[in-house]
Amino acid sequence: MSHGNPFALIAALMLLAPLHASAADTTGLPEAFDAGWQGQKTCELLFETDEVRVGRCTFPPGFGHEKHYHVPHFGYVLEGSTLEVTDDQGETRVVETVTGDSWSTDAITVHSALNIGDTTARYLIVEPKPD
């Protein structure tokens, strides 16, 4: 029995999530799917409708994601690693991501990240399309 496109199901679920305003300053920052690392793309668009998009972001050891923002989104860890994440206040923390884990946010977030682990980090990101 076919369950259809899994991205379409996730996209439909994202449309049900309320969008909340945030005080995060995104002026001059790229959206997550447009941000890269030292001139190289790190995210690939996998699925898109008029309302939502799904991307896969890949960060080999030593690669990161320049400072960027996300609208409220859902993330799923395809392959985990150790990341150094710096938030919009300049606070840095080390995050261990685990394959199969997920997270979601209900506000606009701003951060940068660097893979300081020994393995490639890979994520699916599902988010409403920004205006």
Side-chain angles (χ1 to χ4, degrees):
M1 177 168 110
S2 173
H3 294 285
N5 186 333
F7 296 134
L9 174 60
I10 293 170
L13 292 173
M14 283 298 297
L15 292 175
L16 299 176
L19 297 180
H20 299 283
S22 171
D25 182 9
T26 61
T27 305
L29 294 177
E31 298 168 3
F33 290 1
D34 296 329
W37 181 251
Q38 299 177 349
Q40 295 184 27
K41 293 283 290 173
T42 56
C43 297
E44 169 190 9
L45 186 64
L46 299 175
F47 176 83
E48 183 174 29
T49 68
D50 289 341
E51 295 85 21
V52 71
R53 60 189 182 170
V54 178
R56 178 178 49 226
C57 300
T58 303
F59 310 103
F63 271 65
H65 209 188
E66 67 192 15
K67 190 173 183 180
H68 62 279
Y69 73 94
H70 289 272
V71 293
H73 65 282
F74 169 83
Y76 180 81
V77 181
L78 297 169
E79 296 177 51
S81 193
T82 305
L83 301 178
E84 185 177 83
V85 179
T86 303
D87 66 20
D88 60 337
Q89 303 299 310
E91 304 236 355
T92 300
R93 68 188 192 285
V94 173
V95 177
E96 296 286 337
T97 60
V98 178
T99 301
D101 279 358
S102 64
W103 73 93
S104 64
T105 65
D106 63 357
I108 294 172
T109 57
V110 174
H111 63 262
S112 62
L114 175 64
N115 183 349
I116 60 172
D118 296 328
T119 59
T120 295
R122 196 175 322 256
Y123 308 99
L124 281 181
I125 303 290
V126 181
E127 63 183 25
K129 284 178 71 171
D131 294 331

